[in-house]
Amino acid sequence: MVEQDLRSTPLEAVHESLGATFTDFAGWRMPVRYDSDLAEHRAVRESAGLFDLSHMGEIHLIGPEAPAALDHALAGKMSAMSVGRAKYSLLLTEDGGIIDDVITYRLAEDHFLVVANASNAEADAAALRERAEGFDVEVDDRSLATALVAVQGPASEQILLDTLFAADSGVEALTREDITEMKYYRFTTGTYRGGELLIARTGYTGEDGFELYVPTEHAAALWEQLTAAGGERLTPCGLACRDTLRLEAGMPLYGNELSRDLYPAQAGMGRVVALKSKEDFVGRSGVENADVSSRPVLVGMVAEGRRAARAGSTVRDAEGREVGEITSGALSPTLGYPIALAYVDPAAAEVGTELIIDVRGKDLPARVVELPFYSRS
């Protein structure tokens, strides 16, 4: 794909002015870094980072039967969620494979927002429309009209407060307590420059943080206000450090750890599928009938030294037998040693198991560990 065919976020000019290096991500021209991957990663762990996530999909379901439609469409029980809460769930194939992992927000009794990964946004919208047929609900894909920016890190709450409640911030219908008392996977709403504003205490970094949804026409102003309020506490961050942050936190990436060929139980997500709490839904029979006892399962692995395994690297046991494959790997900036996620045979998945990773033709001794690799104190 030539660069001019890539989609651009409403913040592209801002990224260019900051000297960002761009990459093609799921058909979008996205900033991969501004300066140093390591510096951006550390900024999020130690202070705060600012991310443009406007490539993500935002799909609204509105109508009296929206709860029932989502219970049918997704693996989780969305109808049991209270207004003001968010829930992680899966969109499954009929056979029980994973189309996407999504976060759903209940905006009102009859109004939900489903946030999809960029690579799957259009497919998710199409699947939700198809699965909503027969229900009294409207499916409205507002992805291209919605911008999403995230502030992540231990200083994120104070930076957000300094931004939202500064003089002439343009923010209305919010109080400081709406932010300070917000718990994880909760959200609040207000207005920003007359447009709708949704602020969620969610993220993909393993740190405390917030994700802010605004109309695309207000994205640049919001970014600039956050930057001004954050000052030296806030660093613009690209996709490269977002990947190492989520890997340290043991969070799966669609296309690496999740796919249509994998069942939730293989990825350690059996609990996400509401087999006991609701009736039939798309993918239920596939999940129930699948024999995953001999299928590879997702594990975390650590090694010593500075050589990091990459996706596609082979994993062998002590006898030299191939038992799996790396899906994500990096030299952890926070921990200082190599970490990786891998799918391995169940017999090799027990914590403490000693394995060998083929890193560019050289053996790297590694062992299976519990996830996450990193957890904030």
Side-chain angles (χ1 to χ4, degrees), residues 299-302 344 348-355 366-370:
V299 299
M301 301 177 66
V302 300
V344 301
E350 184 177 348
V351 170
T353 301
E354 300 288 339
L355 298 170
R367 72 179 186 280
V368 177
V369 298
E370 292 185 356

Side-chain angles (χ1 to χ4, degrees), residues 177-339:
E177 290 71 24
D178 289 334
I179 304 302
T180 59
E181 296 178 6
M182 189 189 306
K183 296 180 180 179
Y184 189 50
Y185 264 66
R186 306 290 198 276
F187 69 89
T188 189
T189 58
T191 63
Y192 176 65
R193 301 196 171 201
E196 294 179 355
L197 168 66
L198 187 152
I199 303 174
R201 200 161 206 154
T202 48
Y204 193 53
T205 62
E207 296 295 338
D208 186 22
F210 299 84
E211 296 181 316
L212 295 84
Y213 298 81
V214 295
T216 53
E217 61 267 26
H218 300 319
L222 178 61
W223 180 282
E224 290 167 6
Q225 286 177 239
L226 287 163
T227 298
E232 294 184 355
R233 298 172 295 173
L234 186 62
T235 300
C237 294
L239 294 181
C241 83
R242 189 166 183 254
D243 192 51
T244 52
L245 290 161
R246 70 91 192 167
L247 177 56
E248 289 183 344
M251 295 177 171
L253 174 66
Y254 195 90
N256 288 41
E257 288 75 42
L258 306 175
S259 76
R260 291 172 181 253
D261 298 324
L262 293 165
Y263 293 102
Q266 291 180 256
M269 293 182 175
R271 69 191 183 283
V272 176
V273 184
L275 292 174
K276 296 181 179 179
S277 62
K278 68 176 184 175
E279 299 301 320
D280 194 31
F281 56 89
V282 178
R284 181 183 184 112
S285 61
V287 169
E288 288 182 320
N289 295 328
D291 180 5
V292 298
S293 60
S294 61
R295 281 178 161 262
V297 294
L298 186 65
V299 299
M301 301 177 66
V302 300
E304 297 180 355
R306 310 291 291 177
R307 286 189 298 140
R310 302 299 180 191
S313 297
T314 299
V315 179
R316 304 192 310 273
D317 64 14
E319 285 70 46
R321 292 174 299 218
E322 186 173 330
V323 294
E325 183 176 295
I326 301 295
T327 54
S328 296
L331 177 62
S332 167
T334 304
L335 303 173
Y337 50 77
I339 61 174

